[in-house]
Amino acid sequence: MGGPDDLRIVRAPGRVNLMGDHTDYQEGFCLPVAIDRYVYVACRPHRSQTIAHYNESFVLPVAIDRECVAAVLPRSDGRVVARSLDMEGVLDVAADGSDHPDTVDPPWGRVVAAVVAALATRGRDPVGADVAVSSAVPVGSGLSSSAAFEVAVALALCDAASFELDPVHVALACREAEHRATGVPCGVMDQLASACGVTGHALLVDCRSLGVLPIPLPPDLAILVVHSGESRALTNTPYAQRRAACEQTARRFGVATLRDAAAEQVADEPLARHVVTENARVAATALALAAGDVDALADAFAASHASLRDDFACSTPELDDLVDGLVAAGATGARLTGAGWGGCAVALVPHDRLEAVRASAGDREQWVCRAVDGAGPMEA
Ligand code: GLA
């Protein structure tokens, strides 16, 4: 019998990456932070045909629309039915994962279908569920709205079927879902950050072993994220070509991935040189954060942005101007964050300069972010 007690809410954070871009799919290192912008999923397992009664006393987080959750219709077992509070349409797929993402509508539901399938292959029972999704992670900004969406849906579906999956495997299932639903051959950083975040910490991620080491963030530096004004979806960028080019170079050097390439080997190879030098900057940044060494942070951020701009060629004039302006206004360091080709810059800013640095960004959208825990259930 369904009832208000069955209604569970999970949330999954977006992420901002402090250092280590275009390294994850070369088994390198990165340093993301799970941020206090979430995708929320309300979910009710669907084990019987009985419509659940909605309990007015149940307190929902602001981002979840009470009407929409209440409007879920009764359905037969074995279906996952998902609504989005932000996008049109209702998704209805088999909970056993047999619906191929390419065949489903609405388009945003393809990722949900792919998550259902990825969990099914990992042994989740085909328990149906009514799912309502609401996102407060800015879309098209490089803050991993899509990974947060996948992780939130995955946790809700695991919860509905009492299926246990540790956060790293949730992240791997979600990366598989992203590949299948969008065709973008992303690495694991975004999903891992959303699943494994730690309050007050950045995550030093080894993308080969999938080990995650929390690095304390200096309390006197704020994390400021500013949108360049250019929105983009990874499907419309050269992301896949860059990844393929890195793989080709690794093969030419006879190494499994560019993580294993030596600095001398890649001296004349801009893409590979970016990956190798960026991996070193991740280690330097983790040490500098832990030691509160602002000079080392400034150096690493400046070198990283230059490398992304000149070697990896994934910056834009807007991002370059933005980064220059943030540093000129007093940020300790600033760089583009995520895949680039638009999206956001991230800056570390001493609190007493925050106002001036924010003002330098003019009317661009901006967020001061806190480092939060990874995805999980919300207390009702
Ligand atoms: C996107 C991908 C990640 C990573 C970054 C660049 O966010 O989803 O896997 O490759 O770009 O660092």
Side-chain angles (χ1 to χ4, degrees), residues 248-268:
Q248 214 178 7
T249 309
R251 272 196 299 277
R252 192 150 43 81
F253 289 149
V255 291
T257 59
L258 291 177
R259 181 209 179 111
D260 299 321
E264 313 77 67
Q265 262 180 317
V266 298
D268 299 322

Side-chain angles (χ1 to χ4, degrees), residues 5-335:
D5 293 344
D6 276 350
L7 186 62
R8 306 289 291 264
I9 295 172
V10 299
R11 63 179 186 182
R15 67 97 188 92
V16 65
N17 189 27
L18 296 186
M19 189 59 62
D21 276 307
H22 295 285
T23 49
D24 61 349
Y25 52 79
Q26 286 299 299
E27 297 186 313
F29 299 89
C30 53
L31 196 61
V33 174
I35 56 172
D36 53 341
R37 298 293 182 284
Y38 296 94
V39 172
Y40 299 89
V41 171
C43 179
R44 184 165 39 207
H46 214 321
R47 295 194 178 87
S48 74
Q49 304 234 4
T50 323
I51 185 167
H53 270 297
Y54 196 68
N55 181 347
E56 282 303 315
S57 67
F58 189 90
V59 182
L60 291 168
V62 215
I64 300 276
D65 178 333
R66 177 173 291 260
E67 288 307 310
C68 180
V69 177
V72 170
L73 297 169
R75 302 197 56 96
S76 321
D77 278 1
R79 307 296 297 173
V80 171
V81 179
R83 288 155 200 276
S84 159
L85 306 195
D86 316 303
M87 290 167 286
E88 292 292 310
V90 180
L91 173 80
D92 182 349
V93 287
D96 63 5
S98 56
D99 288 300
H100 193 285
D102 286 356
T103 66
V104 307
D105 254 331
W108 61 262
R110 289 178 196 155
V111 160
V112 179
V115 169
V116 171
L119 293 177
T121 58
R122 285 163 176 80
R124 179 188 180 274
D125 287 337
V127 175
D130 291 322
V131 172
V133 191
S134 167
S135 178
V137 183
V139 174
S141 310
L143 298 180
S144 299
S145 55
S146 150
F149 185 91
E150 291 146 14
V151 171
V153 168
L155 282 200
L157 291 175
C158 286
D159 188 69
S162 305
F163 180 61
E164 303 252 331
L165 205 55
D166 67 73
V168 170
H169 284 93
V170 168
L172 290 172
C174 290
R175 178 183 59 171
E176 182 181 304
E178 172 83 24
H179 287 187
R180 210 158 164 235
T182 69
V184 174
C186 64
V188 76
M189 166 170 73
D190 306 348
Q191 291 81 5
L192 210 54
S194 183
C196 301
V198 178
T199 297
H201 291 71
L203 306 175
L204 174 55
V205 180
D206 177 342
C207 297
R208 173 170 279 168
S209 70
L210 300 182
V212 174
L213 182 66
I215 305 290
L217 289 163
D220 44 344
L221 292 179
I223 300 173
L224 175 66
V225 178
V226 184
H227 203 295
S228 65
E230 295 171 293
S231 199
R232 51 108 191 102
L234 279 189
T235 34
N236 305 325
T237 69
Y239 184 93
Q241 289 98 298
R242 289 286 197 286
R243 177 173 177 154
C246 288
E247 286 168 357
Q248 214 178 7
T249 309
R251 272 196 299 277
R252 192 150 43 81
F253 289 149
V255 291
T257 59
L258 291 177
R259 181 209 179 111
D260 299 321
E264 313 77 67
Q265 262 180 317
V266 298
D268 299 322
E269 304 271 348
L271 293 184
R273 187 168 63 209
H274 165 73
V275 176
V276 171
T277 57
E278 185 84 344
N279 277 334
R281 284 186 290 271
V282 171
T285 305
L287 286 172
L289 284 175
D293 182 344
V294 287
D295 292 338
L297 288 174
D299 289 349
F301 272 62
S304 174
H305 187 78
S307 178
L308 289 159
R309 181 190 62 213
D310 302 336
D311 280 358
F312 213 76
C314 63
S315 189
T316 62
E318 285 75 9
L319 276 165
D320 296 342
D321 283 352
L322 173 58
V323 164
D324 287 349
L326 293 169
V327 173
T332 298
R335 60 190 284 281

